[in-house]
Amino acid sequence: MTSTTFQPIAPRPAPVNSEGPLAWIKSNLLADWKTSLGTFVIGGLLLWLLPQAIHWALISASWSPHYEVCHAEGVGACWGVISEKYRIILFGRYPYEEQWRPLIATILLTGLLVVSCMRSFWKAWLPLLWLAVLAVFFALMYGKVFGLTQVDTDRWGGLPLTILLSSLSLVLCFPIALLVALGRRSKLPAIRSFCTIYVELIRGVPLISVLFMASFMFPLFMPQGTQIDVLVRVLVGITLFAAAYMAEVIRGGLQAIPKGQVEAAATLGLSYWQTQRMIVLPQALAMVVPGIMNNFISTFKDTSLVTIVSLYELTGALKLGVNSDANWRPYIIEGYFFIALIYFVFCFSMSRYSRWVEKQVNKSKLR
Amino acid sequence: MAETNTTSPIITFDKVNKWYGNNFHVLRDIDLSVAKGERIVICGPSGSGKSTLIRCINRLEEHQQGHLIVDGVELTDDIKAIDQVRKEVGMVFQQFNLFPHLTVLENLTLSPMWVGKIPKKEAEEKAMVQLKRVRIAEQAHKYPLQLSGGQQQRVAIARALCLKPKIMLFDEPTSALDPEMIKEVLDVMIAMASEGITMLCVTHEMGFAKAVADRVIFMDQGQIVEQNNPHDFFNNPQSERSKDFLSKILGH
Amino acid sequence: MAETNTTSPIITFDKVNKWYGNNFHVLRDIDLSVAKGERIVICGPSGSGKSTLIRCINRLEEHQQGHLIVDGVELTDDIKAIDQVRKEVGMVFQQFNLFPHLTVLENLTLSPMWVGKIPKKEAEEKAMVQLKRVRIAEQAHKYPLQLSGGQQQRVAIARALCLKPKIMLFDEPTSALDPEMIKEVLDVMIAMASEGITMLCVTHEMGFAKAVADRVIFMDQGQIVEQNNPHDFFNNPQSERSKDFLSKILGH
Amino acid sequence: MSSDTPPSHHHWSWRSQAFRGIVYQVLAVVAIVAVVWFLAHNTLVNMRVRGIQSGFDFLSQAAGFDIGESLYPFDSEQPYWQAFLVGVTNTLRVAIVGIILSTVLGTLLGIGRFSRNALVRGVCLSYVEAFRNIPVLLQLLMWYVILTEVLPSADVAWQVGDFFLSKGGLNYPIPVWAAGQLWAAFGLLAGVALVLLYRRWAKRQFEATGQLRSAFWVPVLILVACSLAGWALGGAPTELNRPVKGDFAIENGGALTPEFLAVLIGLTLYTASFIAEVVRGGIASVPRGQGEAASALGLSQQQEMRLVMLPQALRVIIPPLTNQYLNLTKNSSLAVAIGYPDVVSIANTALNQTGRAVECISLVMLVYLITSLGTSLLMGWYNSRAAIKER
Amino acid sequence: GKTLDSIKSRGQVICGVNTGLAGFGAADSAGKWTGLDVDVCRAVAAAVLGDAEKVKYVPLNAQQRFTALQSGEVDVLSRNTTFTLTRDASLGLNLTAVTYYDGQGFMVPVKSKIKSATQLKGQTVCVQSGTTTEKNLTDYSKAKGLGIKPVVFEQLEAAENAYFTGRCIAYTTDASGLASTRNKVAKVPADHIILPELISKEPLGPMVRRGDDEWYAIVKWVIYGLLEAEEYGVTQANVDSLKTSSTDPVVKRILGTSEDTGKLLGLDKEWMARAIKATGNYGEIFERNVGPKSALGLPRGVNNQWNKGGLMYAYPVR
Ligand SMILES: Nc1ncnc2c1ncn2[C@@H]1O[C@H](COP(=O)(O)OP(=O)(O)OP(=O)(O)O)[C@@H](O)[C@H]1O
Ligand SMILES: Nc1ncnc2c1ncn2[C@@H]1O[C@H](COP(=O)(O)OP(=O)(O)OP(=O)(O)O)[C@@H](O)[C@H]1O
Ligand SMILES: [Mg+2]
Ligand SMILES: [Mg+2]
């Protein structure tokens, strides 16, 4: 038996296999007869439908804000409804000359949301920034300061309202959700069962029944004469609703923290709250950022329901603007497409962001 | 190089190369032939490509260059050829990979019934034979997760044996086990070794290597650095790399 | 039975009993006293209650009967007493349990800063001393998951040492490690042993036991079956159970 | 050796964990009871001061309003509780049909994400992204507008055979009830029994000989043959109640209103996009080793999917799938926005006519709670049965 | 009473109005509310606070309106609400005085060639939920054996919209509402006709909460005052001059120049004069918002004064 000394073989790059678009098409579209059949059927359908859709939406569409144009034969989509009505769709019944205020307010709040999504901004002053921006938002929207005229909340509407409701309810539901999630994992039976009942109760009923309750019944619950703005009541309703779902997401994160982490903290002498604050929550929350984002997305979408209790957020504002105008009413579908696009842009970018975060989290788990 | 060329080889690697992705050259010019009935232990540091090597044998991974012939069938893209090879090769994984939704017996009869097309009764009888061989016949109707790790690994071995394979591959079969359970599994493997089946085993259990291996192969960085009979390998390693490695795993 | 009764005991178990749930009697009439500076290795089959025993010492588990006195403090429901004991006792887990969201240095300074209330700068200096002691000072600013298993376990040891504990508890500190890394950790532990700290270590590394232990305790079914100095224990076990056990773990 | 059960003992001091726990719990209970009492007290005072009547007695009074669509005849003289019942059946009708359709569509879309065909993958992905990211209410409204705006009015309804599609909805012929139908139904029942027998036989055959029998086409054939035979035996009745164009609307025959269609289409398409994700996640969650083990045992790709991957994926899929079913049911409450008389809509009408806001909204919540809890219990039971047995 | 005190301290009357029904209560794009119901609120504010602009309007839909009033969210509900026994007896509300006598009717497209409600047999009719309308429709359909299929919508706009897109053959609501919808919402008003049948009585007027009789009296008497002002020829234009020139004892009482009628209500004596100055008398309010010359073009009909063949018969301000 002989043996050799170790002669390392230098790594070589892989042999080039037939990469390129043709190879891709071969393996992804025409691999075998089943795949090819699928390609032809679906491709055929797309080839038949897409040009029609594009023709309707773009080529033969009318963009002019005159409804007469749309009545002409052969005109496709009538985007004029948007050129004509976009201000009421975006800002609802907010006074026309003052609409620069909600515009700025919306940009501010959206900007803040974007900023809050960036890791490098996750600092202690972020909550303060939130407070500041919200204060500016309300000052701008409500007025009565800096010589701005007062605009009552019943005239707020459109996109600012949508964004306000969703971001505020998210921010407010967070502390509630944290407590409830911790409570559901508490060793104390009374606290645990209260939290469980709350969560199960809320998750068992549809949001609109909560909204109905907030807008029709809530006044009955309060001492006589207390007046609470309907916007606030709806906000409370959405917040309590979102908190139950959020609590479940956070609880999922808490459950995923290995018991060893808590035990290690205990051996180091940290107290319950220190352990939660410094060991458990940072890890649990980082783990469920995608879940939180998903929750935010659904809350964002859910705000569209407040139109059922007569608040004019995007959907309501659209109906307000178009339904009462006989000339444009037939083109409300274009209006729906427009706000669907707004929702899509927001939700899609949020879901992309949550995917990205998920990847980041997974990355940091590896070396 | 010493090769046991007494019979014609049952596995032949001929300048086999494999890459993960485009850049990571994981197997480099592997030349190896395994005789029928030979028992080979493969060792080497983590990431050296041991698992990849044996997973190529039943085409869980595909190699990109060179020829790999198993029991007279060359492994290429051909699905028929792959199926044929897989019928001849049993595999036991580090993580057992038992099917948790099936009972132990169902785990064992699954492949004989659906691939081998033999009647259930017959399949169950044969399965019981194998379960007796690994000494857990009484657990036949439990679910895998109800068993201890050592028992699970023994079921996995029995499952592989139910194929009546000519070749058995083991990928660190004991490294997920408790010290006491390691012994149960090693005992079963040692018993099997005496039955003349061809075995390739990735393991760091040097006791096992000494007891049964015909040949120990030491791998590093995707290459076979050294191969020798166990006695010479352990007492007189030739290369620096293996000396270093052995000093670490035997040192404590 | 030989007990090192040279100094007054730092840990005393007096007829300690513990149950999981209402039926599972996991520790049965444990009597044990550990002298200051003593180094004890605990071994025994899986499920025999080794982990539970040492976890009682810093009250990660509570016992229901008997008295357990650590460094002069009896462990009861009293939160103050528990806190005091935990300051004296460091613990190293099998799964390391480092905090993955904090850097190595932050892992080490967390408790000194928040519990010990010492300034950050001072805490960091002391942490670096410990990191040097376990020979990974250069990794201070990495995150735990960027380190190898052996390095992680050494960080865990350093973290426990930062408490300046009188007692160190180890629960199978090497069993989650690759063979190559086990040595790194054992070396550090052996070095520590020479410094006179009281150590209780659950492990199956008999090499370690032989090298440093003053006493080996063998447990089975929640009881201390046998205790002896390492030499006598390994060469001349008294009970059937320990003989059987030793034959298994030394056998392969 | 001491006794084999642990003693119970407590130290009552402020430094004891157990004692603190009890104090915290008592505080929590007091706080919550106080809040509830505050709200209840206010409500009672408010109602008393203003002379608002309360109670559920109104449920037995005549409802006094008609309901546009109902599975069974409802008359305005019937009491409120029956009106509620109509609402509940309408809700369940949408929910159940929607659940079935969205499960089928969602599963196809989810499996499509693993297709080897890039086009199929792309279409499934775009579908999921598009429908998930638009509020369901908006989608319902859009479908309703499309159905009522785009479809022709009744006098120029689109017609295929006896099927009419117009602003009035989808009208279709329904067979006039005759003995023959009963026979056909019996035939179908017999077919089901036969299929069950066949499947048992096929399974035994497989176990005995290892030979596989067709598991889909033969049963389908049996079912069709049996119902046809029953129908023929019953005298092969062919009389249909065909819809006809009336002056202003399509009359006779069966009809699906645009409200129902919009709710159904909207909820189905929306929920399907979520179910697709659930299915995809479930399949992706089965550990890779399982597939490898199956390959190593020589199972084909189909066998691997059927025997190893799907049974395990299903356990992961079921809980979130249940959630989607519950969501669909709850989302059906949005039907109120487009005039479908679901339970929320009925409750709103009742609320307005009687002024019993608290009672009506509580009833609605109760209906949904019961549905949710019922489904959860059912799924919990299923889960515990299907759970992988562990130590 | 309490309500009056809190109105005075807050400086605003909170008035629940329709979310948008042209002629009765609707906001224009600048946020200015107009309509018959709105003018009632303005008159009340003028009488109580001296300024018709000191009103906060809370738009309410059919479901919200009663709880809003019950719970004290609004001081007065002036939102074309029908007075019925149930609403009076079981909701804890007080009906003040009728401001518009209405009846429920049907609107159909001209091209349907329907001339009478009896032709609606088996047809679909769009209706807003939570109104007396829904119930009336059922009663009518039952009485005449028509088997009408209602399609019920939560919101006014949705119901109107469904009718205009052709989902229903007919749309039913109060005749005034039909006129409002036809003139304001229909693309070509002439394409729709309102059928001659009125199938119900709908006395509309403001409501207040129970338990505060003073406030109830104030709202009620402001309305009677407006009616009596019309009867006695006091108008927005001549109210100031009549204060000095009028010799008619009734007019003098209304304008507070002889007796202090306001004192009895807890107001000052100019209360009615201010209200008339702000909104005009009932006739003027009617003409401006819904009358034949307005966009709605409703005839005065039963809403005329009693002495001109109508039903408006105010209790004397005396
Ligand atoms: N699917 C894969 N894609 C990319 N890299 C891979 C893949 N599987 C394994 N590798 C890499 O290939 C190298 C060899 O892997 P392999 O599993 O064969 O090593 P090994 O010798 O079995 O190591 P170990 O003892 O840790 O099991 C490792 O560096 C591993 O990270
Ligand atoms: N929290 C718990 N609840 C109930 N039973 C438990 C719990 N923790 C451990 N046990 C059981 O108590 C017994 C002793 O556990 P312990 O972890 O102390 O054993 P061990 O000797 O450390 O074993 P190993 O070598 O496997 O770590 C085991 O049978 C275990 O299943
Ligand atoms: Mg490996
Ligand atoms: Mg242990």
Side-chain angles (χ1 to χ4, degrees), chain A residues 258-271 274 277-280 282-283 364-367, chain C residues 55 58 60 83 86 89 91 93 97-102 110-111 114-115 145-149 159 163:
Chain A
K259 229 178 87 190
Q261 293 287 313
V262 180
E263 290 182 346
T267 55
L268 292 177
L270 298 182
S271 71
Q274 279 177 334
R277 194 162 62 87
M278 292 186 292
I279 308 299
V280 175
Q283 294 184 59
S364 78
K365 277 193 191 144
L366 303 174
R367 283 208 213 172
Chain C
R55 287 157 60 87
N58 65 351
L60 285 181
D83 278 347
R86 283 186 179 158
V89 180
M91 178 146 185
F93 300 84
N97 291 343
L98 294 176
F99 305 128
H101 60 299
L102 304 177
L110 186 74
S111 174
W114 292 90
V115 184
L145 293 182
Q146 296 172 316
L147 305 181
S148 77
R159 183 175 68 181
L163 295 174

Side-chain angles (χ1 to χ4, degrees), chain E residues 119-158:
Chain E
Q119 285 172 280
L120 290 172
K121 198 166 174 127
Q123 300 305 333
T124 50
V125 174
C126 288
V127 60
Q128 191 192 1
S129 80
T131 55
T132 45
T133 331
E134 196 182 345
K135 207 159 181 169
N136 294 335
L137 179 65
T138 304
D139 288 349
Y140 181 71
S141 156
K142 201 156 186 88
K144 302 270 176 191
L146 293 180
I148 288 173
K149 291 187 213 129
V151 184
V152 180
F153 294 88
E154 191 74 0
Q155 283 165 321
L156 182 68
E157 305 90 63

Side-chain angles (χ1 to χ4, degrees), chain A residues 5 21 26-27 30 99 124 134 195 230 252 271 279 281 311 331 345:
Chain A
T5 42
K26 170 123 189 22
S27 65
L30 306 167
Q99 284 179 357
L134 283 176
C195 295
V230 65
S271 71
I279 308 299
L281 286 179
L311 285 183
Y331 308 107
V345 167

Side-chain angles (χ1 to χ4, degrees), chain A residues 259, chain B residues 178, chain C residues 20 24 26 45-52 61 172 204:
Chain A
K259 229 178 87 190
Chain B
D178 286 337
Chain C
Y20 281 127
F24 188 49
V26 61
S46 183
S48 56
K50 308 179 296 294
S51 302
T52 310
E61 305 285 352
E172 310 203 29
H204 294 113

Side-chain angles (χ1 to χ4, degrees), chain D residues 264-298:
Chain D
L264 186 66
I265 297 175
L267 288 181
T268 302
L269 296 187
Y270 181 73
T271 314
S273 68
F274 284 87
I275 293 183
E277 281 298 281
V278 168
V279 170
R280 187 186 68 84
I283 295 179
S285 77
V286 180
R288 247 194 32 195
Q290 293 289 317
E292 290 181 348
S295 309
L297 288 174

Side-chain angles (χ1 to χ4, degrees), chain B residues 20-21 24 26 44-53 61 94 171-172 202 204, chain D residues 288:
Chain B
Y20 282 126
F24 187 49
V26 61
S46 185
S48 55
K50 309 179 294 294
S51 302
T52 311
L53 180 78
E61 304 285 353
Q94 177 182 9
D171 190 359
E172 310 203 30
V202 176
H204 293 114
Chain D
R288 247 194 32 195

Side-chain angles (χ1 to χ4, degrees), chain A residues 180-366:
Chain A
V180 172
L182 288 176
R184 278 202 80 172
R185 288 172 55 77
S186 161
K187 286 197 201 106
L188 311 176
I191 290 176
R192 197 174 53 230
S193 31
F194 276 130
C195 295
T196 310
I197 290 173
Y198 166 71
V199 169
E200 294 304 327
L201 217 58
I202 294 276
R203 284 173 9 121
V205 300
L207 175 57
I208 66 162
S209 63
V210 175
L211 290 181
F212 277 137
M213 191 141 109
S215 86
F216 306 159
M217 278 161 61
F218 189 77
L220 279 183
F221 294 156
M222 285 289 125
Q224 263 172 303
T226 4
Q227 272 191 45
I228 300 179
D229 196 293
V230 65
L231 189 64
V232 175
R233 299 193 320 238
V234 163
L235 188 65
V236 170
I238 297 180
T239 304
L240 289 180
F241 191 80
Y245 283 82
M246 186 71 87
E248 283 300 277
V249 171
I250 295 178
R251 189 168 70 104
L254 294 179
Q255 260 165 352
I257 301 298
K259 229 178 87 190
Q261 293 287 313
V262 180
E263 290 182 346
T267 55
L268 292 177
L270 298 182
S271 71
Y272 175 83
W273 289 109
Q274 279 177 334
T275 309
Q276 300 302 327
R277 194 162 62 87
M278 292 186 292
I279 308 299
V280 175
L281 286 179
Q283 294 184 59
L285 292 183
M287 210 176 289
V288 295
V289 167
I292 293 175
M293 284 311 284
N294 281 346
N295 235 335
F296 191 33
I297 295 175
S298 38
T299 308
F300 187 77
K301 287 187 292 177
D302 280 348
T303 53
S304 62
L305 305 198
V306 302
T307 176
I308 294 180
V309 292
S310 297
L311 285 183
Y312 298 106
E313 49 61 75
L314 272 177
T315 320
L318 172 74
K319 289 199 279 183
L320 180 76
V322 181
N323 269 348
S324 59
D325 188 334
N327 295 319
W328 288 110
R329 200 185 314 113
Y331 308 107
I332 193 168
I333 190 71
E334 280 87 346
Y336 280 137
F337 276 122
F338 175 61
I339 54 176
L341 185 71
I342 297 180
Y343 276 111
F344 181 81
V345 167
F346 274 92
C347 297
F348 186 70
S349 32
M350 285 190 276
S351 74
R352 284 289 113 166
Y353 169 73
S354 95
R355 294 258 167 91
W356 178 80
V357 171
E358 210 167 349
K359 280 220 184 88
Q360 295 289 306
V361 169
N362 287 341
K363 228 188 249 167
S364 78
K365 277 193 191 144
L366 303 174

